[in-house]
């Protein structure tokens, strides 16, 4: 299974985009979500059974980045719809970033309706803040909300999009990419770990958590060698299927088992 078109743009002088390809990594245990690897995503996606999704929600804690080892690096955390299917044409998402610019941490909030460029929003975020995001699609109308539960700040907007991608729902920590003639994954900022909670997706009249039996949940591990071998690994889902943690670490050495 391969996530399709994944376009991500950051603020600043360089617009970036990425086609994120993931491959099946390993079969999980009985009842475990399929495990996948990606060069830029880590977290969970739900899809399948011919379903489309009209709403996604989730909360996460804004992590603090360490910029000592990688003074120019990036990381993003978001909830969104679309972008996971092999034939995906875009993604609607809202989230926050924790970057290192010239050795200094920078934190900000944004939304994106790919393939349009991302838009930085007027919502101050700080390490330790609890964020709650939601993306909702009705026809060609896309509504995006982001609330800083800690500070009480909030952002919301409604946009028109001719063909929104509603084939999946996601909760993701991401290594953005820079594109000129070609795309490349940027060095991933060392954000340590963060936990997604209060997750839900809506398909038709049904609303459920990531682990709901109405759809297929896929676990995605980020593996990149930009600025050294790094992985971002999602934990198992909580018992009720509504939360998980993503954590950075060194990429393990894989040994092929002989049969």
């Amino acid at each position: 299974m391969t996530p399709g078109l994944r376009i991500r743009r950051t603020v600043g002088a360089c617009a970036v985009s990425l086609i994120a390809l993931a491959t099946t990594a390993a079969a999980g245990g009985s009842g475990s979500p399929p495990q996948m690897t990606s060069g830029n995503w880590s977290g969970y996606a739900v899809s399948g059974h011919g379903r489309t999704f009209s709403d996604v929600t989730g909360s996460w804690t804004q992590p603090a980045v360490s910029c000592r080892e990688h003074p120019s690096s990036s990381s993003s955390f978001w909830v969104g719809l679309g972008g996971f299917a092999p034939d995906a044409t875009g993604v609607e998402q809202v989230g926050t970033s924790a970057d290192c610019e010239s050795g200094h941490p920078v934190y900000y909030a944004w939304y994106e309706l790919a393939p349009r460029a991302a838009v930085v929003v007027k919502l101050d975020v700080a390490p330790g803040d609890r964020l709650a995001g939601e993306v909702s699609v009705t026809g060609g109308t896309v509504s995006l909300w982001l609330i800083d539960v800690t500070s009480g700040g909030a952002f919301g907007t409604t946009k028109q999009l001719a063909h929104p991608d509603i084939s999946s729902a996601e909760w993701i920590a991401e290594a953005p990419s820079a594109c000129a003639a070609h795309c490349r994954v940027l060095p991933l900022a060392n954000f340590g770990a963060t936990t997604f909670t209060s997750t839900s997706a809506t398909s038709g009249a049904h609303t459920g958590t990531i682990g709901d039996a109405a759809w297929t949940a896929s676990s995605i591990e980020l593996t990149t060698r930009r600025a050294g071998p790094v992985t971002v690994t999602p934990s198992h889902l909580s018992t009720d299927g509504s939360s998980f943690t993503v954590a950075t670490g060194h990429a393990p050495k894989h040994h092929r088992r002989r049969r």
Side-chain angles (χ1 to χ4, degrees), residues 31-146:
S32 298
Q35 298 174 8
M36 308 178 70
T37 60
S38 171
N40 66 316
W41 281 15
S42 180
Y44 280 84
V46 296
S47 60
H49 306 296
R51 287 186 173 273
T52 58
F53 295 83
S54 59
D55 189 86
V56 61
T57 68
S59 297
W60 65 95
T61 300
Q62 180 72 3
V65 289
S66 173
C67 298
R68 181 176 300 177
E69 294 182 356
H70 307 303
S72 297
S73 50
S74 304
S75 61
S76 295
F77 313 90
W78 53 269
V79 298
L81 297 173
F84 182 73
D87 58 350
T89 57
V91 60
E92 305 85 52
Q93 54 190 175
V94 65
T96 60
S97 289
D99 298 347
C100 292
E101 296 183 4
S102 301
H104 300 286
V106 177
Y107 306 99
Y108 55 94
W110 50 269
Y111 74 88
E112 182 179 7
L113 304 178
R116 301 176 186 175
V119 178
V120 176
V121 304
K122 294 182 179 180
L123 178 63
D124 293 333
V125 293
D129 284 2
R130 191 66 183 165
L131 285 304
E134 182 174 8
V135 179
S136 180
V137 174
T138 303
T141 301
V142 183
S143 299
L144 308 104
W145 298 273
L146 188 63

Side-chain angles (χ1 to χ4, degrees), residues 148-184:
D148 189 319
V149 179
T150 302
S151 69
F155 162 81
T157 188
T158 299
K159 300 293 182 180
Q160 297 299 312
L161 196 61
H163 302 289
D165 188 337
I166 54 175
S167 59
S168 58
E170 299 89 26
W171 303 260
I172 299 294
E174 180 182 1
S177 291
C179 293
H182 302 283
C183 296
R184 62 183 178 86

Side-chain angles (χ1 to χ4, degrees), residues 1 22-28 33-38 219-223 254:
M1 187 174 181
T23 57
T24 300
Q35 298 174 8
M36 308 178 70
T37 60
S38 171
S219 170
I220 309 168
E221 179 184 77
L222 185 158
T223 302
H254 295 285

